[in-house]
């Protein structure tokens, strides 16, 4: 119990009351307790259990089986001492979920002539709305309606206004932003009202057709990092609008948006652009953070906006950025962080419905599978609804094309399937994928949205850490010396077939996924050391030129493997973070994209472009089903642990009958005598302008060679 408190009382189930009585108060002893309602009616409670502790006595009482949730109830003990009866674990019961789950719209709906407010707060006894716009201010009592939803309609035009809820719950008055807020003022001080339908309509661009996950190439970038460096040449830096600027160059080569659009990727994955806590939006230069410290899940981050105090600005500028990327043929996926909150003391969830939204252990402690101090509880119907609602709003308002779920294993299978089902009602080609790690959250293992349950989520993809570790080598701080196949561990040649077939086959392979559409293939992302930095440890005896070849080989493997390829921004020019493994709050000079480095490693950039062209040219690298892989893909480990990845009878997938891909990560030339003449179309230089007919093939050290017939 809280220090300096004589008595606390909690409603933990229907008819179950737990009271903590301080030993300083009558030695913690009381023989009679009553539940008292606001009208003065008192009902005797029976003492079921008593536990004496050093500083308090814990009483478990049987009270009335039926109470009106949201009433301001009190517990009175025999000496006349009173305590507010707090709604605690009762909100975690299945019955509470059944009784109060609400299916309708929640949030603030700003229209030209009125704004409607709806807040779900069933345990609150009173809610008031504090509404402001310029010199107008309204403080209005909201009306409790069905399922504990509080409502108010404000007449007039409130576009650009701000509001807070004053929620009286468990004897305390909480000033809370709206959990469903579309926008806010700087640093989340007040929720913001935006009539987004009034904004200038963004042009709808004719995006290239997209029907299968395996046709995607995902490119991860941070809004802040991509244009921060002065050499990027943008007029503004590290803002939504910075990434919309055209015509920027360095030494005659494109930077920023023009460079991004020239690469040949299909999907841009934006690192978190939902509001996060630890960057001061009015002074973003003071602190850095990736954004995995969520504050408001449905509100754009204000440090990327030109005016963080105008609620309309961040919405308008993020909409413009996504429309600009669409105009360049790029779809946009958002990295979303629903698995935890930065600090539940500042969470609108905790302010409006204490104890409900966060998962607890059987003993009542906060679950911490996210290692961030708390886990949200997607099993709860209103938490699941919240995730689905906010995802759908990102699609509806911003025209988002997909979602990457951070620590997806914290969530449950049914929630992820609900996200896919609802999202695809709005956008049939929606991508949904995430980190399917098996995390120690307080959830039954069979329910977790983790890799081993992928068969229960057929439309959800997972980051493939097997692929990462086999190709590059293990990636944690403790495994920096570990090599993968492409970084020189030739003994992993026999592990590569499993990775190259998206871990979908059983026969002599390691199967993880049901279909290749479920495997996000990557060797690096924002987490951990970059591939280039890792090689400084695991390949430290090799000269720079050799490590550049290995960088190219890792990119090539990623882009010809079955599954969905994923690149981190800068990977294509040997991005370094100077040896730091976890740069979530490191300075800008560590995290920023280095455009001078891009020019220095232009050879790797052009090689990456050629790999992307090769993948687009040959659809057999993009099989969408396990049956296709099983029918057409063959592997063979040849001399010197060189790997042959062969695609047979694939003329229906791009004009060639047979495709042979040779990977040679060794330091020696490997010679191959082909059974007949083939065209060589790709080698360490990239795509060959004029294919060469070969039968005797020399595969140079640390290269990928592709021949076709």
């Amino acid at each position: 119990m809280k220090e300096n408190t004589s008595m606390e009382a909690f409603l933990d189930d229907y008819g179950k009351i737990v009271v903590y009585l301080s030993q300083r108060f009558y030695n913690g002893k009381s023989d009679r307790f009553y539940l008292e309602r606001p009208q003065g009616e008192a009902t005797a409670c029976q003492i079921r259990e008593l536990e004496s502790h050093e500083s308090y006595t814990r009483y478990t009482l049987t009270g009335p089986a039926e109470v009106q949730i949201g009433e301001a109830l009190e517990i009175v003990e025999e000496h006349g001492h009173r305590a507010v009866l707090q709604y605690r674990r009762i909100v975690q019961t299945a019955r509470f979920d059944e009784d109060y789950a609400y299916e309708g719209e929640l949030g603030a709906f700003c229209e030209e002539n009125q704004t409607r407010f709806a807040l779900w707060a069933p345990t609150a006894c009173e809610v008031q709305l504090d509404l402001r716009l310029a010199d107008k201010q309204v403080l209005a009592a909201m009306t409790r309606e069905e399922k504990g939803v509080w409502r108010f309609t404000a007449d007039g035009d409130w576009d650009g206004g701000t509001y807070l809820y004053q929620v009286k719950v468990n004897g305390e008055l909480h000033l809370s932003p709206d959990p469903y807020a579309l926008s806010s003022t700087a640093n989340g001080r007040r929720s913001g009202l935006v009539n987004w339908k009034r904004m200038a309509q963004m042009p709808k661009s004719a995006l290239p057709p997209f029907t299968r996950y395996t046709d995607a190439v995902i490119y991860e970038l941070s809004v802040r990092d991509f244009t921060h460096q002065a050499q990027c040449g943008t007029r503004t830096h590290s803002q939504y609008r910075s990434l919309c600027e055209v015509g920027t160059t360095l030494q005659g080569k494109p930077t920023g948006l023009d460079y991004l659009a020239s690469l040949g990727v299909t999907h841009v994955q934006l690192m978190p652009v939902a509001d996060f806590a630890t960057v001061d939006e009015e002074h973003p230069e003071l602190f850095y953070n990736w954004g995995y410290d969520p504050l408001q899940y449905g509100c754009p981050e204000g440090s990327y906006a030109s005016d963080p105090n105008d609620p309309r600005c961040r919405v308008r500028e993020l909409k413009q950025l996504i429309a600009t990327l669409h105009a360049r043929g790029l779809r946009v996926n958002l990295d979303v962080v629903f698995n935890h909150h930065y600090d539940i003391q500042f969470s609108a969830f905790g302010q409006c419905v204490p104890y409900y939204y966060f998962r607890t252990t059987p003993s009542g402690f906060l679950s911490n599978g996210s290692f961030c101090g708390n886990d949200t509880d997607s099993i709860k119907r209103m938490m699941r609804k919240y995730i689905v609602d906010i995802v759908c709003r990102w699609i509806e308002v911003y025209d988002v094309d997909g979602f990457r779920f951070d620590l997806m294993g914290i969530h449950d299978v049914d929630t992820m399937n609900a996200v896919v089902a609802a999202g695809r009602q709005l956008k049939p080609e929606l991508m949904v994928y995430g980190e399917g790690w098996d995390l120690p959250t307080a959830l039954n293992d069979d329910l977790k949205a983790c890799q081993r349950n992928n068969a229960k989520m057929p439309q959800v993809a997972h980051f493939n850490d097997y692929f990462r570790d086999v190709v590059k080598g293990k990636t944690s701080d403790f495994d920096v010396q570990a090599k993968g196949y492409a970084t020189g561990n030739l003994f992993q040649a026999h592990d590569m077939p499993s990775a190259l077939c998206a871990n979908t086959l059983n026969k002599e392979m390691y199967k993880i996924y049901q279909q290749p559409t479920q495997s996000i293939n990557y060797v690096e992302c924002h987490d951990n050391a970059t591939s280039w930095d890792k090689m400084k440890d695991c390949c430290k005896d090799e000269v720079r030129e050799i490590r550049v070849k290995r960088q190219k080989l890792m990119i090539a493997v990623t882009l010809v493997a079955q599954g969905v390829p994923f690149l981190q921004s800068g990977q294509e020019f040997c991005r370094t973070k100077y040896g730091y493994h976890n740069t979530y709050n490191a300075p800008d000079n560590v995290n920023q994209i280095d455009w001078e480095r891009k020019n220095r490693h232009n050879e790797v950039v052009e090689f990456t472009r050629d790999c992307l062209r090769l993948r687009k040219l040959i659809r057999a690298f993009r099989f969408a089903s396990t049956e296709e892989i099983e029918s057409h893909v063959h592997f063979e480990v040849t001399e010197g642990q060189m790997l042959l990845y062969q695609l047979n009878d694939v003329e229906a997938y791009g004009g060639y009958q047979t495709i042979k891909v040779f990977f040679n990560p060794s330091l020696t030339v490997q010679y191959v005598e082909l059974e007949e003449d083939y065209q060589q179309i790709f080698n360490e230089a990239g795509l060959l302008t004029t294919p060469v007919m070969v039968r005797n093939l020399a595969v140079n050290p640390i290269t990928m060679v592709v021949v076709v017939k």
Side-chain angles (χ1 to χ4, degrees):
M1 64 183 297
K2 295 178 183 177
E3 291 185 16
N4 302 319
T5 302
S6 299
M7 185 169 76
E8 285 188 293
F10 301 94
L11 187 61
D12 279 356
D13 204 340
Y14 291 84
K16 180 181 177 180
I17 297 168
V18 175
V19 176
Y20 298 87
L21 199 59
S22 172
Q23 296 286 11
R24 299 190 307 271
F25 183 80
Y26 288 91
N27 297 316
K29 294 180 179 179
S30 186
D31 293 329
R32 287 178 292 163
F33 295 88
Y34 295 87
L35 182 145
E36 191 169 298
R37 291 182 166 84
Q39 302 81 6
E41 177 189 347
T43 304
C45 301
Q46 291 184 329
I47 299 174
R48 281 170 35 193
E49 295 178 10
L50 183 153
E51 295 178 7
S52 184
H53 297 264
E54 182 178 351
S55 59
Y56 64 87
T57 302
R58 181 182 188 271
Y59 295 85
T60 302
L61 312 178
T62 298
E66 300 297 328
V67 296
Q68 179 61 50
I69 299 292
E71 275 193 317
L73 305 174
E74 290 186 322
I75 293 295
V76 185
E77 58 82 50
E78 68 171 317
H79 305 100
H81 200 50
R82 296 174 176 272
V84 170
L85 181 58
Q86 300 181 50
Y87 298 98
R88 188 172 66 170
R89 293 180 194 165
I90 190 170
V91 303
Q92 298 166 5
T93 63
R95 179 178 168 185
F96 180 89
D97 243 7
E98 182 65 30
D99 288 350
Y100 290 95
Y102 173 70
E103 298 299 328
E105 289 185 321
L106 294 169
F109 303 92
C110 186
E111 300 167 357
E112 290 188 9
N113 299 317
Q114 65 175 20
T115 296
R116 294 174 287 109
F117 298 87
L119 174 70
W120 186 71
T123 58
C125 64
E126 181 183 322
V127 180
Q128 289 196 317
L129 172 69
D130 174 1
L131 176 60
R132 303 176 188 179
L133 175 61
D135 57 350
K136 292 195 298 182
Q137 181 172 357
V138 171
L139 185 62
M142 300 182 73
T143 302
R144 182 185 175 111
E145 297 185 2
E146 78 284 10
K147 304 291 187 178
V149 176
W150 298 79
R151 299 184 186 278
F152 182 79
T153 298
D155 293 331
D157 188 348
W158 291 91
D159 190 14
T162 67
Y163 66 106
L164 286 174
Y165 292 123
Q166 297 182 6
V167 184
K168 190 171 183 181
V169 59
N170 290 345
E172 297 179 346
L173 185 65
H174 299 164
L175 297 180
S176 177
D178 186 352
Y180 275 82
L182 179 64
S183 190
S184 76
T185 59
N187 300 317
R189 285 189 286 263
R190 294 179 64 83
S191 296
L193 293 169
V194 179
N195 184 348
W196 61 272
K197 294 180 181 179
R198 172 187 277 170
M199 291 180 171
Q201 292 299 306
M202 301 298 170
K204 281 282 187 181
S205 301
L207 288 161
F210 176 70
T211 56
R212 311 178 308 173
Y213 278 23
T214 50
D215 288 335
V217 179
I218 302 168
Y219 187 82
E220 178 190 48
L221 66 82
S222 157
V223 169
R224 179 164 178 163
D225 297 350
F226 209 69
T227 61
H228 182 271
Q229 192 184 53
Q231 287 85 342
C232 183
T234 50
R235 296 183 302 278
T236 62
H237 297 279
S238 296
Q239 295 182 355
Y240 300 122
R241 57 181 180 166
S242 310
L243 198 44
C244 298
E245 295 186 31
V246 299
T248 60
T249 61
L250 177 63
Q251 299 167 349
K253 297 185 184 301
T255 63
L257 173 65
D258 288 347
Y259 169 74
L260 175 61
S262 74
L263 265 179
V265 300
T266 66
H267 288 67
V268 174
Q269 178 186 298
L270 297 179
M271 288 172 66
V273 294
D275 186 45
F276 49 89
T278 56
V279 171
D280 185 339
E281 294 181 347
E282 293 173 307
H283 302 283
E285 71 283 357
L286 298 179
F287 304 104
Y288 181 94
N289 204 284
W290 281 340
Y292 296 94
D293 52 332
L295 186 63
Q296 300 179 95
Y297 300 95
C299 168
E301 167 61 19
S303 67
Y304 300 153
S306 59
D307 183 356
N309 278 302
D310 178 357
R312 291 168 295 195
C313 177
R314 60 181 77 193
V315 175
R316 181 176 58 248
E317 290 181 351
L318 180 55
K319 282 171 65 69
Q320 181 64 62
L321 170 57
I322 293 171
T324 299
L325 292 171
H326 283 171
R328 294 299 191 98
L330 295 166
R331 286 179 165 83
V332 180
N333 298 344
L334 298 189
D335 193 338
V336 289
V337 193
F338 288 109
N339 63 82
H340 76 285
H341 193 273
Y342 167 64
D343 188 332
I344 62 173
Q345 284 188 317
F346 300 105
S347 167
F349 289 157
Q351 301 297 319
C352 295
V353 193
Y355 306 109
Y356 178 79
Y357 289 97
F358 295 96
R359 186 171 293 148
T360 56
T361 66
S363 55
F365 294 101
L366 285 170
S367 175
N368 189 25
S370 65
F371 305 104
C372 297
N374 60 84
D375 302 336
T376 56
D377 194 355
S378 60
I379 290 289
K380 299 279 182 42
R381 289 176 58 178
M382 293 303 287
M383 186 68 223
R384 179 178 297 158
K385 170 182 167 60
Y386 181 83
I387 292 172
V388 172
D389 285 353
I390 296 298
V391 161
C392 289
R393 196 174 71 193
W394 282 115
I395 299 170
E396 186 180 14
V397 176
Y398 300 95
D399 202 16
V400 167
D401 302 288
F403 296 90
R404 178 262 190 196
F405 276 74
D406 183 65
L407 300 188
M408 185 172 69
I410 294 292
H411 304 313
D412 69 287
V413 165
D414 288 347
T415 294
M416 295 311 303
N417 287 332
V419 165
V420 172
R424 289 191 175 170
Q425 289 290 316
L426 298 171
K427 182 157 288 198
E429 68 274 22
L430 186 77
M431 292 192 80
V432 178
Y433 56 100
E435 293 180 301
W437 319 136
D438 190 354
L439 298 160
T441 188
L443 182 64
N444 186 293
D445 286 347
D446 292 336
L447 301 179
K448 293 178 183 176
C450 60
Q451 285 191 86
R452 68 186 186 87
N453 289 327
N454 71 82
K456 301 176 183 178
M457 302 172 288
Q459 306 303 318
V460 176
H462 303 253
F463 282 89
N464 189 336
D465 52 341
Y466 179 93
F467 182 97
R468 177 197 67 199
D469 292 349
V470 167
V471 175
K472 180 186 69 174
K474 289 185 180 295
T475 199
S476 73
D477 294 11
F478 308 105
D479 296 311
V480 292
Q481 301 292 338
K483 293 183 177 183
Y485 183 65
T487 50
N489 183 357
L490 304 185
F491 296 106
Q492 290 204 283
H494 295 279
D495 298 320
M496 282 290 289
S498 298
L500 287 165
C501 74
N503 293 97
T504 57
L505 301 184
N506 275 317
K507 187 179 179 181
E508 298 177 357
M509 296 189 194
Y510 180 53
K511 180 175 180 178
I512 302 174
Y513 306 109
Q514 314 310 304
Q515 300 293 339
T517 50
Q518 293 180 291
S519 176
I520 305 292
N521 300 331
Y522 75 115
V523 295
E524 70 171 68
C525 64
H526 63 273
D527 284 328
N528 302 114
T530 66
S531 301
W532 184 256
D533 287 346
K534 176 181 167 59
M535 282 193 290
K536 291 178 183 177
D537 288 302
C538 70
C539 304
K540 61 186 175 184
D541 295 330
E542 296 179 341
V543 298
R544 184 183 187 89
E545 290 73 20
I546 295 295
R547 285 185 277 124
V548 168
K549 287 178 178 288
R550 294 202 184 281
Q551 186 82 5
K552 291 166 68 175
L553 183 58
M554 283 187 276
I555 292 169
V557 171
T558 304
L559 290 172
V560 299
Q562 302 299 328
V564 184
F566 174 101
L567 302 171
Q568 181 186 200
S569 53
Q571 180 180 343
E572 73 278 16
F573 46 85
C574 307
R575 183 175 182 177
T576 179
K577 294 186 181 180
Y578 309 101
Y580 293 104
H581 280 244
N582 187 10
T583 63
Y584 76 98
N585 64 351
D588 285 293
N589 63 345
V590 173
N591 283 292
Q592 69 186 359
I593 292 297
D594 185 345
W595 295 101
E596 293 179 317
R597 187 178 185 86
K598 189 271 287 186
N599 285 0
R600 288 198 303 274
H601 288 281
N602 193 59
E603 169 202 350
V604 187
V605 174
E606 292 304 324
F607 179 83
T608 304
R609 284 197 175 102
D610 278 354
C611 290
L612 288 159
R613 294 186 186 108
L614 178 67
R615 184 176 183 86
K616 187 174 182 180
L617 173 69
I618 299 178
R619 192 156 62 90
F621 291 138
R622 298 179 273 127
F623 290 138
S625 72
T626 299
E627 291 73 23
E628 289 172 300
I629 295 174
E630 200 161 26
S631 298
H632 299 289
V633 176
H634 167 77
F635 296 100
E636 182 181 339
V637 178
T638 66
E639 291 293 324
Q641 302 296 299
M642 184 170 69
L643 180 65
L644 167 61
Y645 164 37
Q646 184 164 318
L647 305 166
N648 298 318
D649 304 318
V650 291
E651 56 271 21
Y653 297 90
Y656 302 115
Q657 182 182 21
T658 305
I659 300 161
K660 292 179 184 282
V661 183
F662 294 94
F663 300 109
N664 177 17
S666 76
L667 296 172
T668 58
V669 180
Q670 302 294 322
Y671 297 97
V672 179
E673 184 175 348
L674 302 169
E675 70 275 11
E676 58 182 291
D677 288 345
Y678 278 74
Q679 295 181 64
Q680 183 177 347
I681 64 170
F682 194 97
N683 63 18
E684 65 264 38
L687 275 174
L688 301 182
T689 306
T690 304
V692 179
M693 297 302 295
V694 294
R695 179 171 291 195
N696 295 308
L697 184 65
V699 183
N700 286 332
I702 317 177
T703 61
M704 179 184 82
V705 171
V706 182
V707 297
V708 300
K709 74 175 180 69

